[in-house]
Amino acid sequence: MDRKNFVDMDTKKEEDASPEEWVALCDFTGSGSEQLSFYTGDRLLVLSKSSADWWWAELQGVTGYAPARYLREDTADEEEDASIEDPWQDEEYYGSYGTLKLHLEMLSDRSRTETYRQVIVSNSASLRNKVVMDLGCGTGIISMFCAQLAKPSAVYAVEASSMADYTGQLVKHNGCEDVVTVMKGRAEELELPEQVDVLVSEWMGNCLLFEFMVESVLVARDRWLKDGGVMWPSSAALTLVPCQARSYYAEKMSFWERPYGLDFTPLQSLAQQEFFNKPKFSHVIELNDCLAAPCDVISMDMYALQVRDLEEMRGEFQFSVETSGLFHGFTAWFSVHFESLETGGTTIELNTGPNSEPTHWKQTLFMLDEPVSVFSGDSITGTIGLHRNPIWRRHMTVTLQWNIRGQTEEADSFQGGKKSFPMWR
Ligand SMILES: NC(=[NH2+])NCCC[C@H]1O[C@@H](n2cnc3c(N)ncnc32)[C@H](O)[C@@H]1O
């Protein structure tokens, strides 16, 4: 009798379970031959739910892995099903900002908070009698800086979460109520009493755009900012660098080589999917992990940027490898700039990169499936694409495409790759 060396009831259930039909929530472009590509509305036959994130499925005769988060069950009543999803996940989003955890993290970030204070101080004279909107004011810290360090005629502190109830108390408790008016609600829906001279907001998410709060800032700009009014931040940039990540690779991948004297390498493909197929937020890159000089790959002018531009942001890069080493992946971070209210005044920068004071955003690491040895003089060229999720409006997928050209090799021989990283759906 061929004794099976295990009886896995799940697999048994799976073998018994008949394939189920699932519907694609939005387009997906698979990377590599193992992943399916499909369009919104495609009906996939799910053959096995091999892991939480990736299912083995069939579409028009082709089989491959599909990301489970892009699929929904094919329910009979799709209208009812469609109404269930809250594409902005506002309940969860504003719920999280109704508690102190995130506000404590942001207020504890001295680099972030002091930069906004410095912007107010260095523009205090020009802020006299100006009207300010603080979009997403949270605890109201920026609004109270305005009231305490300058003399604006009015500050409208807009906050959609229940934190707004406390913000009103904080404003009164700090003697700012004659200047600062707290308005509870989403900026897209509120009626301000007047147009504003300055729209200030701290909207930046991981990898600059995650959460897509920037959309709210652009909508408010178009509706409430006077002609000639000032946006703070005035511009933003996403910076990228090819890097080593030896300790992260050792922790998540090499670990399986010899744990307690056993060989667990069959788990390494699972480890690659589970740990390297999504970006690593809150990564701290050491300067000597950078394999080349970082470069800005995407720039945003907050006066010209349109909401429709947020669907697809693209950038190109050309790195010249300065130090030989292992190319484990790319690290990204952002910087934002605050122009002076006075013509010719100094621009202030908040930079979240490894050359600046640490911030709570830290950096974002994108791991390749496998590291590649690179040598001083090699070039790494390619593109980065930020594709906003058409269904989950606070999410995006970052797609990196790269070619490595050795200095010594013939022109036509190069190593390249392409990989997509969902954040998070
Ligand atoms: N830098 C970030 N990633 N997040 C920090 C700012 C987020 C704050 O803005 C609030 N907020 C976000 N979007 C909005 C909006 N459209 N209207 C009002 N408040 C908002 C949110 O509730 C939170 O208190």
Side-chain angles (χ1 to χ4, degrees):
M1 178 183 86
D2 64 327
R3 238 176 70 75
K4 284 184 89 176
N5 56 358
F6 68 90
V7 177
D8 173 346
M9 292 316 292
D10 279 353
T11 312
K12 180 124 189 51
K13 250 190 325 221
E14 284 301 329
E15 275 156 8
D16 297 350
S18 57
E20 299 163 342
E21 193 162 76
W22 287 66
V23 184
L25 277 166
C26 52
D27 300 358
F28 177 73
T29 308
S31 63
S33 59
E34 288 239 303
Q35 292 181 7
L36 283 177
S37 296
F38 48 79
Y39 296 100
T40 308
D42 278 351
R43 293 182 178 306
L44 285 79
L45 209 53
V46 173
L47 306 170
S48 92
K49 297 175 182 170
S50 27
S51 83
D53 289 341
W54 293 89
W55 293 347
W56 187 251
E58 185 188 309
L59 173 63
Q60 289 139 15
V62 180
T63 51
Y65 283 107
R69 64 196 167 278
Y70 275 61
L71 307 176
R72 65 167 169 76
E73 283 211 77
D74 182 11
T75 54
D77 176 356
E78 285 173 14
E79 289 66 45
E80 181 266 322
D81 179 39
S83 68
I84 291 175
E85 304 304 348
D86 163 10
W88 281 85
Q89 301 162 287
D90 278 354
E91 193 172 325
E92 176 191 342
Y93 182 74
Y94 292 119
S96 67
Y97 280 114
T99 62
L100 281 178
K101 180 173 179 288
L102 290 176
H103 297 287
L104 179 59
E105 183 184 34
M106 294 187 289
L107 291 170
S108 304
D109 180 341
R110 297 199 63 81
S111 173
R112 162 198 178 271
T113 310
E114 291 288 358
T115 300
Y116 276 84
R117 174 155 61 182
Q118 192 199 343
V119 171
I120 306 306
V121 168
S122 57
N123 287 280
S124 58
S126 308
L127 276 168
R128 177 178 287 278
N129 301 329
K130 291 289 193 310
V131 180
V132 179
M133 175 184 191
D134 176 2
L135 198 164
C137 68
T139 54
I141 181 87
I142 298 173
S143 296
M144 285 184 263
F145 283 162
C146 290
Q148 278 191 342
L149 305 166
K151 297 217 176 313
S153 65
V155 180
Y156 298 108
V158 172
E159 174 53 50
S161 75
S162 58
M163 186 53 63
D165 302 329
Y166 291 94
T167 310
Q169 293 177 42
L170 296 175
V171 164
K172 202 179 297 307
H173 200 69
N174 287 277
C176 301
E177 70 274 21
D178 53 350
V179 173
V180 179
T181 307
V182 178
M183 302 180 79
K184 181 177 182 180
R186 290 188 58 211
E188 292 86 339
E189 290 148 11
L190 282 176
E191 285 299 322
L192 262 56
E194 57 187 316
Q195 298 287 96
V196 302
D197 300 294
V198 177
L199 201 173
V200 62
S201 179
E202 193 285 81
W203 52 263
M204 300 76 74
N206 278 295
C207 218
L208 184 57
L209 292 178
F210 182 65
E211 289 178 32
F212 280 90
M213 181 180 164
V214 62
E215 172 167 333
S216 307
V217 173
L218 299 182
V219 169
R221 173 199 69 191
D222 295 348
R223 184 155 177 210
W224 297 113
L225 188 65
K226 288 178 187 170
D227 287 347
V230 167
M231 295 288 285
W232 277 343
S234 322
S235 64
L238 186 72
T239 307
L240 198 69
V241 74
C243 68
Q244 298 197 125
R246 289 178 183 275
S247 48
Y248 188 62
Y249 188 83
E251 179 193 332
K252 301 295 186 189
M253 190 56 71
S254 312
F255 171 83
W256 308 104
E257 281 163 13
R258 212 100 192 99
Y260 308 99
L262 294 169
D263 175 352
F264 274 26
T265 50
L267 291 179
Q268 289 191 318
S269 62
L270 212 53
Q272 184 189 100
Q273 274 194 48
E274 190 170 326
F275 303 122
F276 296 168
N277 276 4
K278 286 187 177 168
K280 180 196 175 201
F281 277 2
S282 299
H283 179 65
V284 178
I285 185 170
E286 305 299 333
L287 274 176
N288 53 26
D289 285 338
C290 297
L291 293 166
C295 80
D296 288 359
V297 289
I298 289 175
S299 297
M300 294 162 46
D301 171 348
M302 294 305 288
Y303 298 94
L305 186 67
Q306 299 299 312
V307 171
R308 62 179 173 277
D309 300 331
L310 299 175
E311 291 309 308
E312 292 272 338
M313 308 283 278
R314 277 179 57 78
E316 295 182 352
F317 51 78
Q318 164 124 23
F319 296 109
S320 173
V321 176
E322 291 168 355
T323 43
S324 305
L326 270 179
F327 173 32
H328 282 102
F330 293 93
T331 294
W333 62 85
F334 65 83
S335 59
V336 288
H337 300 87
F338 303 82
E339 65 176 331
S340 168
L341 288 182
E342 290 135 30
T343 43
T346 49
T347 296
I348 291 170
E349 177 187 74
L350 169 60
N351 192 307
T352 64
N355 274 309
S356 302
E357 286 300 307
T359 70
H360 77 284
W361 287 283
K362 298 176 182 150
Q363 289 89 39
T364 305
L365 171 64
F366 299 93
M367 288 291 274
L368 309 188
D369 289 348
E370 280 303 324
V372 178
S373 291
V374 289
F375 305 92
S376 174
D378 289 355
S379 73
I380 302 174
T381 58
T383 60
I384 180 171
L386 277 58
H387 313 272
R388 192 172 181 187
N389 188 312
I391 300 277
W392 302 103
R393 301 305 280 153
R394 294 194 185 277
H395 299 253
M396 64 178 167
T397 293
V398 176
T399 300
L400 284 155
Q401 177 272 324
W402 64 94
N403 292 324
I404 305 165
R405 196 174 296 278
Q407 199 182 32
T408 49
E409 289 151 272
E410 309 74 57
D412 58 352
S413 75
F414 66 80
Q415 288 171 288
K418 180 178 180 183
K419 188 169 178 180
S420 290
F421 300 81
M423 283 182 185
W424 293 105
R425 292 170 181 258

